[in-house]
Amino acid sequence: MFESLSDKLDSIFKKLKGRGLLKEDDVDVALKEIRLALLEADVNFKVVKDFVQRVRERAVGKEVLESLSPGQQVVKIVHDELCELLGTTNQRIQLAPNPPTVIMMVGLQGSGKTTTSSKLARFFKKEGRRPMLVAADLKRPAAIDQLITLGKQIDIPVFYSKETQDPVALCENAVKQARMEGRDIVIIDTAGRLHIDEELMNELLAVKTKVNPREVLLVADAMTGQDAVNMAKSFNEQIGLDGIILTKMDGDARGGAALSIRDVTGKPIKFIGIGEKIDMLEPFYPDRIANRILGMGDVLTLIEQAQKSFDQKEAEKLHKRIMEESFTFEDLRDQLKKLRSMGPLENLLGMIPGMGKAMKDIKVDEKEFVKIEAIINSMTKDERRNHNIINGSRRKRIAIGSGTTVTDVNRLIKQYLEMKKMMKMFKGGMGKKGLRLPKIMPF
Protein backbone atom coordinates (compact mmCIF):
# COMPACT_ATOMS: atom_id res chain seq x y z
CA MET A 1 0.00 0.00 0.00
CA PHE A 2 2.77 2.49 0.88
CA GLU A 3 5.09 1.54 -2.00
CA SER A 4 4.82 4.81 -3.95
CA LEU A 5 5.18 6.98 -0.82
CA SER A 6 8.08 4.84 0.40
CA ASP A 7 9.93 5.23 -2.92
CA LYS A 8 9.50 9.02 -2.93
CA LEU A 9 10.66 9.41 0.68
CA ASP A 10 13.65 7.16 -0.02
CA SER A 11 14.66 9.40 -2.93
CA ILE A 12 14.32 12.54 -0.76
CA PHE A 13 16.38 11.08 2.09
CA LYS A 14 19.15 9.91 -0.26
CA LYS A 15 19.76 13.56 -1.22
CA LEU A 16 19.89 14.60 2.45
CA LYS A 17 22.19 11.77 3.48
CA GLY A 18 24.59 12.68 0.69
CA ARG A 19 25.30 16.07 2.24
CA GLY A 20 27.96 16.40 4.92
CA LEU A 21 26.44 19.65 6.14
CA LEU A 22 22.79 20.70 6.12
CA LYS A 23 21.55 24.26 5.80
CA GLU A 24 18.08 25.46 6.69
CA ASP A 25 17.34 25.90 2.97
CA ASP A 26 18.22 22.21 2.37
CA VAL A 27 15.71 21.15 5.03
CA ASP A 28 13.02 23.41 3.53
CA VAL A 29 13.52 21.93 0.05
CA ALA A 30 13.31 18.39 1.44
CA LEU A 31 10.19 19.23 3.48
CA LYS A 32 8.51 20.70 0.40
CA GLU A 33 9.09 17.40 -1.39
CA ILE A 34 7.87 15.40 1.65
CA ARG A 35 4.73 17.57 1.77
CA LEU A 36 4.05 16.89 -1.92
CA ALA A 37 4.68 13.13 -1.47
CA LEU A 38 2.21 12.95 1.43
CA LEU A 39 -0.46 14.91 -0.46
CA GLU A 40 -0.02 12.61 -3.48
CA ALA A 41 -0.48 9.67 -1.07
CA ASP A 42 -3.95 11.12 -0.30
CA VAL A 43 -3.09 12.20 3.25
CA ASN A 44 -5.46 14.82 4.70
CA PHE A 45 -4.27 18.38 3.88
CA LYS A 46 -4.41 19.65 7.48
CA VAL A 47 -2.61 16.51 8.72
CA VAL A 48 0.18 17.10 6.18
CA LYS A 49 0.50 20.77 7.13
CA ASP A 50 0.82 20.02 10.85
CA PHE A 51 3.17 17.06 10.22
CA VAL A 52 5.59 19.10 8.09
CA GLN A 53 5.54 21.97 10.61
CA ARG A 54 6.45 19.62 13.49
CA VAL A 55 9.28 18.03 11.48
CA ARG A 56 10.65 21.47 10.51
CA GLU A 57 10.66 22.73 14.11
CA ARG A 58 12.85 19.79 15.11
CA ALA A 59 14.93 19.51 11.92
CA VAL A 60 16.26 23.08 11.87
CA GLY A 61 17.47 22.82 15.47
CA LYS A 62 21.12 23.37 16.24
CA GLU A 63 21.76 19.72 17.21
CA VAL A 64 20.60 18.53 13.77
CA LEU A 65 22.23 21.12 11.50
CA GLU A 66 25.58 20.80 13.29
CA SER A 67 25.54 17.03 13.89
CA LEU A 68 27.96 14.61 12.21
CA SER A 69 25.11 12.92 10.29
CA PRO A 70 22.38 15.54 9.78
CA GLY A 71 20.64 13.54 7.03
CA GLN A 72 20.23 10.54 9.33
CA GLN A 73 18.94 12.82 12.08
CA VAL A 74 16.20 14.16 9.78
CA VAL A 75 15.19 10.61 8.84
CA LYS A 76 14.89 9.78 12.54
CA ILE A 77 12.74 12.87 13.14
CA VAL A 78 10.42 11.92 10.25
CA HIS A 79 10.22 8.36 11.65
CA ASP A 80 9.34 9.65 15.13
CA GLU A 81 6.70 12.02 13.77
CA LEU A 82 5.19 9.25 11.60
CA CYS A 83 4.89 7.09 14.74
CA GLU A 84 3.21 10.02 16.51
CA LEU A 85 0.86 10.53 13.57
CA LEU A 86 -0.10 6.85 13.52
CA GLY A 87 -0.66 6.63 17.27
CA THR A 88 2.72 6.01 19.00
CA THR A 89 1.89 2.60 20.52
CA ASN A 90 -0.33 -0.41 19.89
CA GLN A 91 -3.73 0.06 21.53
CA ARG A 92 -5.30 -3.21 22.62
CA ILE A 93 -9.03 -3.79 22.99
CA GLN A 94 -10.05 -3.09 26.58
CA LEU A 95 -11.64 -6.13 28.23
CA ALA A 96 -14.52 -5.68 30.66
CA PRO A 97 -13.77 -6.43 34.35
CA ASN A 98 -16.97 -8.50 34.46
CA PRO A 99 -17.37 -10.71 31.35
CA PRO A 100 -18.60 -10.77 28.72
CA THR A 101 -16.74 -7.99 26.93
CA VAL A 102 -19.18 -6.65 24.32
CA ILE A 103 -17.59 -5.31 21.13
CA MET A 104 -19.85 -3.51 18.65
CA MET A 105 -18.65 -3.49 15.04
CA VAL A 106 -19.93 -0.61 12.89
CA GLY A 107 -19.29 0.55 9.33
CA LEU A 108 -20.69 0.89 5.83
CA GLN A 109 -21.50 -1.97 3.46
CA GLY A 110 -18.52 -3.23 1.50
CA SER A 111 -15.91 -2.35 4.15
CA GLY A 112 -15.55 -6.01 5.20
CA LYS A 113 -17.35 -5.66 8.54
CA THR A 114 -18.83 -9.18 8.66
CA THR A 115 -15.58 -10.88 7.65
CA THR A 116 -13.59 -8.69 10.06
CA SER A 117 -15.96 -9.63 12.91
CA SER A 118 -15.14 -13.31 12.36
CA LYS A 119 -11.40 -12.54 12.03
CA LEU A 120 -11.51 -10.72 15.36
CA ALA A 121 -13.38 -13.64 16.96
CA ARG A 122 -10.69 -16.01 15.69
CA PHE A 123 -7.99 -13.69 17.07
CA PHE A 124 -9.54 -13.86 20.54
CA LYS A 125 -10.02 -17.62 20.30
CA LYS A 126 -6.30 -18.05 19.54
CA GLU A 127 -5.62 -16.08 22.74
CA GLY A 128 -7.59 -18.65 24.74
CA ARG A 129 -10.86 -16.70 24.99
CA ARG A 130 -14.40 -17.99 24.33
CA PRO A 131 -15.97 -15.57 21.82
CA MET A 132 -19.51 -15.48 20.42
CA LEU A 133 -20.58 -13.75 17.20
CA VAL A 134 -23.91 -11.94 16.88
CA ALA A 135 -25.59 -11.50 13.47
CA ALA A 136 -27.35 -8.17 14.06
CA ASP A 137 -27.47 -7.01 10.43
CA LEU A 138 -31.16 -7.78 9.94
CA LYS A 139 -31.59 -5.65 6.82
CA ARG A 140 -29.36 -7.90 4.74
CA PRO A 141 -30.25 -11.62 5.12
CA ALA A 142 -27.06 -12.61 3.27
CA ALA A 143 -25.05 -11.06 6.11
CA ILE A 144 -26.60 -13.52 8.60
CA ASP A 145 -25.83 -16.51 6.36
CA GLN A 146 -22.31 -15.22 5.74
CA LEU A 147 -21.59 -14.90 9.46
CA ILE A 148 -23.04 -18.38 10.17
CA THR A 149 -20.75 -19.85 7.49
CA LEU A 150 -17.70 -18.03 8.84
CA GLY A 151 -18.59 -19.06 12.40
CA LYS A 152 -18.66 -22.75 11.37
CA GLN A 153 -15.33 -22.30 9.60
CA ILE A 154 -13.60 -21.13 12.80
CA ASP A 155 -15.78 -23.19 15.18
CA ILE A 156 -17.27 -20.19 16.98
CA PRO A 157 -21.02 -20.00 17.80
CA VAL A 158 -23.18 -17.39 16.05
CA PHE A 159 -26.29 -15.96 17.76
CA TYR A 160 -28.93 -15.08 15.15
CA SER A 161 -32.64 -14.98 14.38
CA LYS A 162 -34.31 -14.75 10.98
CA GLU A 163 -37.71 -14.09 12.54
CA THR A 164 -37.13 -10.87 14.49
CA GLN A 165 -36.66 -7.44 12.94
CA ASP A 166 -35.60 -5.82 16.21
CA PRO A 167 -31.78 -5.62 16.39
CA VAL A 168 -31.86 -4.13 19.91
CA ALA A 169 -33.78 -7.09 21.37
CA LEU A 170 -31.58 -9.53 19.42
CA CYS A 171 -28.36 -8.03 20.82
CA GLU A 172 -29.78 -7.93 24.35
CA ASN A 173 -30.75 -11.62 24.14
CA ALA A 174 -27.32 -12.47 22.66
CA VAL A 175 -25.50 -10.94 25.64
CA LYS A 176 -27.77 -12.86 28.05
CA GLN A 177 -27.09 -16.10 26.14
CA ALA A 178 -23.34 -15.45 26.18
CA ARG A 179 -23.42 -14.92 29.94
CA MET A 180 -25.31 -18.20 30.42
CA GLU A 181 -22.81 -20.12 28.24
CA GLY A 182 -19.76 -18.57 29.89
CA ARG A 183 -18.69 -16.70 26.76
CA ASP A 184 -16.26 -13.92 27.65
CA ILE A 185 -16.29 -12.01 24.32
CA VAL A 186 -19.40 -10.96 22.36
CA ILE A 187 -18.78 -9.45 18.90
CA ILE A 188 -21.84 -7.78 17.38
CA ASP A 189 -21.92 -7.46 13.59
CA THR A 190 -24.33 -4.52 13.18
CA ALA A 191 -26.20 -3.32 10.10
CA GLY A 192 -24.44 -1.30 7.41
CA ARG A 193 -25.60 0.95 4.59
CA LEU A 194 -24.18 2.13 1.29
CA HIS A 195 -23.88 5.55 2.92
CA ILE A 196 -24.50 7.14 6.32
CA ASP A 197 -28.18 7.91 6.99
CA GLU A 198 -30.30 8.89 9.99
CA GLU A 199 -32.06 5.51 10.22
CA LEU A 200 -28.74 3.65 10.48
CA MET A 201 -27.38 6.00 13.15
CA ASN A 202 -30.58 5.78 15.22
CA GLU A 203 -30.45 1.96 15.10
CA LEU A 204 -26.78 1.85 16.13
CA LEU A 205 -27.37 4.33 18.95
CA ALA A 206 -30.30 2.25 20.23
CA VAL A 207 -28.15 -0.93 20.25
CA LYS A 208 -25.26 0.90 21.94
CA THR A 209 -27.53 2.34 24.64
CA LYS A 210 -29.11 -1.05 25.42
CA VAL A 211 -26.09 -3.38 25.48
CA ASN A 212 -23.50 -0.79 26.64
CA PRO A 213 -20.54 -2.21 24.65
CA ARG A 214 -17.06 -2.03 26.12
CA GLU A 215 -15.77 -0.90 22.72
CA VAL A 216 -17.32 0.40 19.49
CA LEU A 217 -14.98 -0.38 16.58
CA LEU A 218 -15.35 1.14 13.13
CA VAL A 219 -14.41 -1.09 10.19
CA ALA A 220 -13.14 1.14 7.37
CA ASP A 221 -11.87 0.30 3.90
CA ALA A 222 -8.32 1.69 3.58
CA MET A 223 -8.66 1.65 -0.22
CA THR A 224 -11.24 4.49 -0.10
CA GLY A 225 -8.71 7.03 1.20
CA GLN A 226 -10.16 10.30 2.49
CA ASP A 227 -13.73 8.96 2.12
CA ALA A 228 -12.86 6.51 4.89
CA VAL A 229 -11.48 9.36 7.02
CA ASN A 230 -14.62 11.49 6.56
CA MET A 231 -16.83 8.49 7.28
CA ALA A 232 -14.88 7.73 10.46
CA LYS A 233 -15.24 11.35 11.59
CA SER A 234 -19.02 11.20 11.04
CA PHE A 235 -19.41 7.88 12.92
CA ASN A 236 -17.33 9.21 15.80
CA GLU A 237 -19.39 12.41 16.09
CA GLN A 238 -22.76 10.62 15.93
CA ILE A 239 -22.12 7.26 17.63
CA GLY A 240 -18.83 7.60 19.47
CA LEU A 241 -15.94 5.29 18.60
CA ASP A 242 -13.27 3.60 20.69
CA GLY A 243 -11.08 2.42 17.84
CA ILE A 244 -10.73 1.65 14.14
CA ILE A 245 -9.96 -1.47 12.10
CA LEU A 246 -8.60 -0.73 8.63
CA THR A 247 -9.27 -3.43 6.03
CA LYS A 248 -7.63 -4.09 2.65
CA MET A 249 -4.23 -2.85 3.81
CA ASP A 250 -2.73 -5.34 1.36
CA GLY A 251 -4.15 -3.34 -1.56
CA ASP A 252 -2.36 -0.91 -3.84
CA ALA A 253 -4.02 2.29 -2.59
CA ARG A 254 -1.85 5.23 -1.61
CA GLY A 255 -2.20 4.83 2.17
CA GLY A 256 -3.74 8.23 2.95
CA ALA A 257 -6.45 6.77 5.19
CA ALA A 258 -3.95 5.00 7.47
CA LEU A 259 -1.88 8.18 7.84
CA SER A 260 -4.85 10.52 8.42
CA ILE A 261 -7.60 8.69 10.26
CA ARG A 262 -6.14 8.68 13.78
CA ASP A 263 -5.15 12.36 13.66
CA VAL A 264 -8.56 13.48 12.32
CA THR A 265 -10.72 11.35 14.65
CA GLY A 266 -8.46 11.16 17.69
CA LYS A 267 -9.20 7.42 17.83
CA PRO A 268 -6.51 4.71 17.53
CA ILE A 269 -6.21 2.15 14.76
CA LYS A 270 -6.34 -1.15 16.66
CA PHE A 271 -6.15 -3.78 13.89
CA ILE A 272 -5.43 -3.96 10.17
CA GLY A 273 -6.73 -6.49 7.65
CA ILE A 274 -3.86 -7.67 5.43
CA GLY A 275 -5.69 -10.17 3.22
CA GLU A 276 -8.94 -12.01 2.59
CA LYS A 277 -8.09 -15.18 4.54
CA ILE A 278 -9.65 -15.59 7.97
CA ASP A 279 -6.28 -15.40 9.76
CA MET A 280 -5.14 -12.21 8.02
CA LEU A 281 -5.86 -9.71 10.78
CA GLU A 282 -3.02 -8.31 12.83
CA PRO A 283 -2.68 -5.76 15.66
CA PHE A 284 -1.66 -2.31 14.49
CA TYR A 285 1.81 -1.19 15.59
CA PRO A 286 2.54 2.44 14.53
CA ASP A 287 6.33 2.05 14.77
CA ARG A 288 6.29 -1.03 12.52
CA ILE A 289 4.19 0.73 9.88
CA ALA A 290 6.54 3.73 10.05
CA ASN A 291 9.46 1.33 9.51
CA ARG A 292 7.77 -0.12 6.42
CA ILE A 293 7.04 3.32 4.98
CA LEU A 294 10.68 4.36 5.42
CA GLY A 295 11.98 1.07 3.95
CA MET A 296 13.34 -0.19 7.27
CA GLY A 297 11.42 -3.49 7.15
CA ASP A 298 9.33 -5.06 9.89
CA VAL A 299 11.29 -7.90 11.44
CA LEU A 300 9.12 -8.18 14.58
CA THR A 301 5.94 -8.89 12.59
CA LEU A 302 7.85 -11.39 10.43
CA ILE A 303 9.02 -13.25 13.57
CA GLU A 304 5.51 -13.25 15.05
CA GLN A 305 4.02 -14.69 11.86
CA ALA A 306 6.74 -17.35 11.76
CA GLN A 307 6.06 -18.31 15.38
CA LYS A 308 2.37 -18.76 14.58
CA SER A 309 3.12 -21.06 11.64
CA PHE A 310 6.10 -23.03 12.95
CA ASP A 311 5.63 -25.28 15.97
CA GLN A 312 8.65 -25.33 18.33
CA LYS A 313 8.75 -29.14 18.59
CA GLU A 314 8.51 -29.52 14.82
CA ALA A 315 11.29 -26.95 14.42
CA GLU A 316 13.51 -28.96 16.77
CA LYS A 317 12.81 -32.16 14.79
CA LEU A 318 13.74 -30.31 11.60
CA HIS A 319 16.90 -29.03 13.26
CA LYS A 320 17.81 -32.62 14.19
CA ARG A 321 17.18 -33.84 10.62
CA ILE A 322 19.46 -31.18 9.22
CA MET A 323 22.17 -32.06 11.74
CA GLU A 324 21.87 -35.73 10.77
CA GLU A 325 21.77 -34.83 7.05
CA SER A 326 18.42 -36.61 6.66
CA PHE A 327 16.40 -33.67 5.26
CA THR A 328 13.96 -35.20 2.74
CA PHE A 329 11.51 -34.05 0.09
CA GLU A 330 8.76 -34.61 2.68
CA ASP A 331 10.47 -32.08 4.98
CA LEU A 332 10.81 -29.65 2.10
CA ARG A 333 7.09 -29.95 1.25
CA ASP A 334 6.05 -29.43 4.88
CA GLN A 335 8.24 -26.33 5.26
CA LEU A 336 6.90 -24.81 2.03
CA LYS A 337 3.32 -25.33 3.26
CA LYS A 338 4.12 -23.53 6.49
CA LEU A 339 5.84 -20.71 4.63
CA ARG A 340 2.80 -20.22 2.39
CA SER A 341 0.51 -20.13 5.44
CA MET A 342 2.37 -17.03 6.65
CA GLY A 343 0.94 -15.01 3.75
CA PRO A 344 2.08 -13.81 0.29
CA LEU A 345 5.85 -14.21 -0.07
CA GLU A 346 6.21 -10.67 -1.45
CA ASN A 347 4.73 -9.30 1.80
CA LEU A 348 7.11 -11.40 3.89
CA LEU A 349 10.16 -10.29 1.89
CA GLY A 350 9.04 -6.68 2.28
CA MET A 351 9.37 -7.05 6.07
CA ILE A 352 13.09 -7.78 5.78
CA PRO A 353 15.13 -4.54 5.98
CA GLY A 354 16.45 -3.59 2.53
CA MET A 355 14.73 -6.55 0.85
CA GLY A 356 11.61 -4.63 -0.19
CA LYS A 357 13.58 -2.33 -2.50
CA ALA A 358 15.68 -5.20 -3.86
CA MET A 359 12.55 -7.22 -4.68
CA LYS A 360 10.67 -4.28 -6.20
CA ASP A 361 10.95 -5.42 -9.83
CA ILE A 362 10.89 -9.15 -9.06
CA LYS A 363 7.46 -10.80 -9.22
CA VAL A 364 7.15 -13.84 -6.97
CA ASP A 365 5.10 -16.50 -8.75
CA GLU A 366 3.03 -18.29 -6.10
CA LYS A 367 2.15 -20.95 -8.72
CA GLU A 368 5.70 -22.26 -8.44
CA PHE A 369 4.90 -23.42 -4.90
CA VAL A 370 1.88 -25.34 -6.22
CA LYS A 371 4.05 -26.94 -8.92
CA ILE A 372 6.73 -28.00 -6.40
CA GLU A 373 4.11 -29.50 -4.09
CA ALA A 374 2.50 -31.38 -7.00
CA ILE A 375 5.86 -32.86 -8.04
CA ILE A 376 6.69 -34.00 -4.48
CA ASN A 377 3.19 -35.47 -4.04
CA SER A 378 3.62 -37.47 -7.26
CA MET A 379 6.67 -39.21 -5.81
CA THR A 380 6.34 -42.47 -3.91
CA LYS A 381 7.15 -42.48 -0.20
CA ASP A 382 10.51 -44.15 -0.93
CA GLU A 383 11.37 -41.54 -3.58
CA ARG A 384 10.53 -38.67 -1.24
CA ARG A 385 12.80 -40.13 1.43
CA ASN A 386 15.65 -41.20 -0.89
CA HIS A 387 16.26 -39.04 -3.94
CA ASN A 388 19.03 -41.36 -5.18
CA ILE A 389 16.51 -43.90 -6.52
CA ILE A 390 14.81 -41.33 -8.81
CA ASN A 391 16.14 -42.45 -12.21
CA GLY A 392 15.05 -41.38 -15.72
CA SER A 393 11.89 -43.51 -15.94
CA ARG A 394 10.79 -42.45 -12.46
CA ARG A 395 11.26 -38.77 -13.40
CA LYS A 396 9.00 -39.25 -16.43
CA ARG A 397 6.33 -40.89 -14.26
CA ILE A 398 6.56 -38.10 -11.65
CA ALA A 399 6.25 -35.44 -14.39
CA ILE A 400 3.15 -37.07 -15.88
CA GLY A 401 1.57 -37.55 -12.44
CA SER A 402 2.13 -33.92 -11.43
CA GLY A 403 1.13 -32.36 -14.75
CA THR A 404 4.61 -30.90 -15.20
CA THR A 405 7.62 -31.67 -17.40
CA VAL A 406 10.74 -33.74 -16.81
CA THR A 407 12.66 -30.44 -16.93
CA ASP A 408 10.59 -29.18 -13.97
CA VAL A 409 11.30 -32.38 -12.03
CA ASN A 410 15.04 -32.17 -12.82
CA ARG A 411 15.12 -28.51 -11.74
CA LEU A 412 13.47 -29.31 -8.38
CA ILE A 413 15.86 -32.19 -7.68
CA LYS A 414 18.83 -29.95 -8.55
CA GLN A 415 17.55 -27.20 -6.21
CA TYR A 416 16.97 -29.76 -3.47
CA LEU A 417 20.54 -31.10 -3.80
CA GLU A 418 21.96 -27.56 -3.72
CA MET A 419 19.94 -26.92 -0.56
CA LYS A 420 21.31 -30.09 1.05
CA LYS A 421 24.83 -29.02 0.10
CA MET A 422 24.28 -25.60 1.67
CA MET A 423 22.94 -27.23 4.86
CA LYS A 424 26.02 -29.43 5.04
CA MET A 425 28.28 -26.39 4.77
CA PHE A 426 26.24 -24.60 7.42
CA LYS A 427 26.49 -27.60 9.70
CA GLY A 428 30.27 -27.68 9.24
CA GLY A 429 30.45 -23.99 10.10
CA MET A 430 28.48 -24.63 13.27
CA GLY A 431 30.88 -27.32 14.38
CA LYS A 432 33.91 -25.08 13.94
CA LYS A 433 32.50 -21.81 15.23
CA GLY A 434 30.06 -23.08 17.81
CA LEU A 435 27.07 -21.66 15.90
CA ARG A 436 23.54 -23.03 16.06
CA LEU A 437 20.98 -23.37 13.32
CA PRO A 438 17.95 -21.12 13.74
CA LYS A 439 14.95 -22.87 15.28
CA ILE A 440 12.72 -21.73 12.43
CA MET A 441 13.91 -22.48 8.91
CA PRO A 442 11.13 -21.83 6.34
CA PHE A 443 12.87 -23.25 3.29
Side-chain angles (χ1 to χ4, degrees):
M1 172 165 280
F2 299 106
E3 186 179 331
S4 177
L5 175 61
S6 182
D7 288 346
K8 285 171 184 171
L9 292 178
D10 183 56
S11 176
I12 295 165
F13 292 143
K14 271 182 182 173
K15 295 175 191 173
L16 287 178
K17 290 175 186 175
R19 296 177 182 271
L21 183 68
L22 275 187
K23 297 177 183 176
E24 199 168 320
D25 289 345
D26 297 327
V27 174
D28 286 337
V29 169
L31 288 176
K32 187 177 179 181
E33 291 180 17
I34 289 172
R35 177 179 174 274
L36 189 60
L38 289 170
L39 289 173
E40 286 178 356
D42 198 25
V43 180
N44 179 277
F45 174 77
K46 185 178 181 305
V47 172
V48 173
K49 183 182 175 184
D50 293 344
F51 176 84
V52 171
Q53 182 60 35
R54 289 196 304 272
V55 172
R56 190 183 190 282
E57 286 173 4
R58 294 179 61 188
V60 297
K62 188 177 181 181
E63 74 252 23
V64 173
L65 297 182
E66 295 183 5
S67 70
L68 291 173
S69 55
Q72 295 282 11
Q73 291 279 76
V74 174
V75 174
K76 183 183 183 304
I77 290 169
V78 172
H79 177 272
D80 292 345
E81 291 299 331
L82 274 176
C83 290
E84 188 69 33
L85 189 67
L86 292 163
T88 311
T89 57
N90 169 246
Q91 298 273 335
R92 292 184 67 85
I93 289 174
Q94 299 298 310
L95 300 178
N98 299 314
T101 297
V102 179
I103 300 167
M104 187 173 161
M105 309 286 278
V106 301
L108 298 182
Q109 283 182 19
S111 61
K113 180 164 50 62
T114 300
T115 306
T116 302
S117 296
S118 61
K119 286 181 176 182
L120 187 60
R122 182 189 177 276
F123 175 85
F124 278 118
K125 185 180 178 182
K126 294 286 276 184
E127 286 199 332
R129 308 243 165 226
R130 302 186 72 244
M132 170 191 277
L133 287 160
V134 181
D137 186 352
L138 306 180
K139 298 289 184 184
R140 191 169 66 95
I144 299 174
D145 294 331
Q146 182 186 359
L147 198 62
I148 292 169
T149 301
L150 289 168
K152 286 178 181 174
Q153 190 178 328
I154 55 179
D155 194 27
I156 290 173
V158 178
F159 188 93
Y160 70 96
S161 172
K162 293 188 177 181
E163 282 72 49
T164 184
Q165 286 299 309
D166 184 355
V168 178
L170 178 87
C171 293
E172 190 178 15
N173 291 333
V175 174
K176 288 178 183 175
Q177 184 70 24
R179 199 168 279 123
M180 286 170 57
E181 293 181 6
R183 298 280 163 185
D184 54 4
I185 305 282
V186 176
I187 299 171
I188 301 174
D189 178 29
T190 63
R193 298 286 192 281
L194 293 174
H195 54 84
I196 293 172
D197 60 36
E198 190 176 348
E199 183 188 5
L200 169 65
M201 290 302 174
N202 288 339
E203 180 180 312
L204 295 176
L205 272 172
V207 171
K208 182 182 179 184
T209 303
K210 196 67 179 179
V211 300
N212 191 26
R214 182 71 173 178
E215 295 219 356
V216 178
L217 299 180
L218 173 74
V219 180
D221 182 348
M223 299 281 284
T224 58
Q226 289 309 300
D227 285 342
V229 176
N230 295 330
M231 184 263 293
K233 188 179 178 185
S234 183
F235 265 92
N236 187 44
E237 289 169 351
Q238 297 185 58
I239 304 295
L241 301 174
D242 296 291
I244 297 156
I245 298 178
L246 282 179
T247 61
K248 305 178 187 176
M249 285 287 284
D250 56 320
D252 58 358
R254 292 169 289 177
L259 288 166
S260 308
I261 205 162
R262 182 258 173 192
D263 195 74
V264 171
T265 63
K267 303 300 176 182
I269 302 169
K270 298 207 170 185
F271 286 89
I272 52 174
I274 53 169
E276 293 181 7
K277 291 181 182 178
I278 202 76
D279 60 340
M280 290 188 171
L281 181 77
E282 62 181 42
F284 181 79
Y285 291 93
D287 56 334
R288 299 184 190 183
I289 296 296
N291 285 348
R292 290 189 203 181
I293 293 172
L294 297 180
M296 299 174 183
D298 184 0
V299 176
L300 287 174
T301 299
L302 180 63
I303 291 169
E304 285 171 4
Q305 290 190 15
Q307 286 173 336
K308 288 176 190 173
S309 300
F310 291 84
D311 180 78
Q312 185 67 27
K313 288 183 180 177
E314 288 181 9
E316 286 172 359
K317 282 182 186 176
L318 176 64
H319 178 260
K320 188 179 177 183
R321 284 182 177 278
I322 292 168
M323 293 297 289
E324 294 173 350
E325 296 181 31
S326 58
F327 185 83
T328 67
F329 273 114
E330 287 180 342
D331 296 317
L332 174 61
R333 178 188 60 190
D334 292 344
Q335 296 308 305
L336 286 175
K337 278 184 179 178
K338 288 181 174 66
L339 180 61
R340 291 181 69 198
S341 72
M342 289 171 63
L345 193 57
E346 286 168 323
N347 292 358
L348 300 179
L349 291 171
M351 293 179 194
I352 302 171
M355 188 63 80
K357 295 281 187 295
M359 295 294 294
K360 184 183 172 187
D361 299 320
I362 300 172
K363 187 70 178 173
V364 179
D365 189 359
E366 297 282 340
K367 291 177 183 176
E368 284 299 314
F369 286 107
V370 178
K371 187 187 286 185
I372 290 169
E373 197 173 325
I375 291 171
I376 296 174
N377 286 339
S378 293
M379 297 177 184
T380 64
K381 188 179 284 187
D382 289 338
E383 288 167 346
R384 286 196 289 267
R385 294 179 178 179
N386 181 12
H387 68 278
N388 292 313
I389 66 171
I390 307 177
N391 55 25
S393 61
R394 287 175 183 259
R395 293 180 192 219
K396 285 181 184 177
R397 192 206 74 247
I398 291 166
I400 293 168
S402 58
T404 59
T405 65
V406 173
T407 303
D408 292 326
V409 176
N410 289 339
R411 188 187 303 118
L412 176 60
I413 293 172
K414 184 181 177 183
Q415 289 169 344
Y416 167 75
L417 291 173
E418 286 174 354
M419 192 182 299
K420 294 253 297 181
K421 187 178 177 182
M422 185 179 69
M423 288 176 186
K424 194 173 182 180
M425 288 170 63
F426 193 13
K427 179 193 165 190
M430 286 189 308
K432 291 174 186 175
K433 300 176 185 178
L435 300 172
R436 285 185 59 81
L437 275 169
K439 291 294 181 187
I440 297 168
M441 295 190 68
F443 298 105

